[in-house]
Amino acid sequence: MVVETDRWRIEGNLTLPAEGFRSRLSDFVNQRDREFFSIRDATLIALDHPNDVKQVPFVMVASRHIRLILPIGGEEA
């Protein structure tokens, strides 16, 4: 999945519930009570300096800072 904030493009893995309610990406991210998203195996790219790339095993992103979420690969929207 790709997440963008005003300053960063973050590519990584978001773990969704295996089945049932909120198992789709769109349902999961639209939860009103979700304040942070946990992203594993993340690549952070600074939008103002695209050559500034960081690899981190884990990052938490505040939902209020997210401007775009894009599923990639086999992720379901």
Side-chain angles (χ1 to χ4, degrees):
M1 141 171 116
V2 175
V3 171
E4 282 194 8
T5 68
D6 288 338
R7 298 182 61 196
W8 297 95
R9 177 183 178 99
I10 304 164
E11 299 177 9
N13 299 309
L14 175 71
T15 302
L16 300 174
E19 57 186 53
F21 185 61
R22 296 184 177 156
S23 62
R24 294 186 315 167
L25 179 59
S26 57
D27 294 335
F28 187 75
V29 300
N30 284 316
Q31 296 177 64
R32 293 186 190 273
D33 60 342
R34 181 159 306 280
E35 293 185 40
F36 290 90
F37 291 96
S38 303
I39 302 172
R40 295 175 290 107
D41 302 321
T43 301
L44 287 76
I45 303 163
L47 294 177
D48 56 347
H49 300 288
N51 293 328
D52 183 8
V53 177
K54 301 176 192 305
Q55 299 281 339
V56 295
F58 177 80
V59 65
M60 291 183 72
V61 181
S63 59
R64 70 180 181 270
H65 294 291
I66 294 173
R67 302 293 176 238
L68 173 136
I69 296 179
L70 175 68
I72 54 176
E75 296 174 349
E76 182 181 334

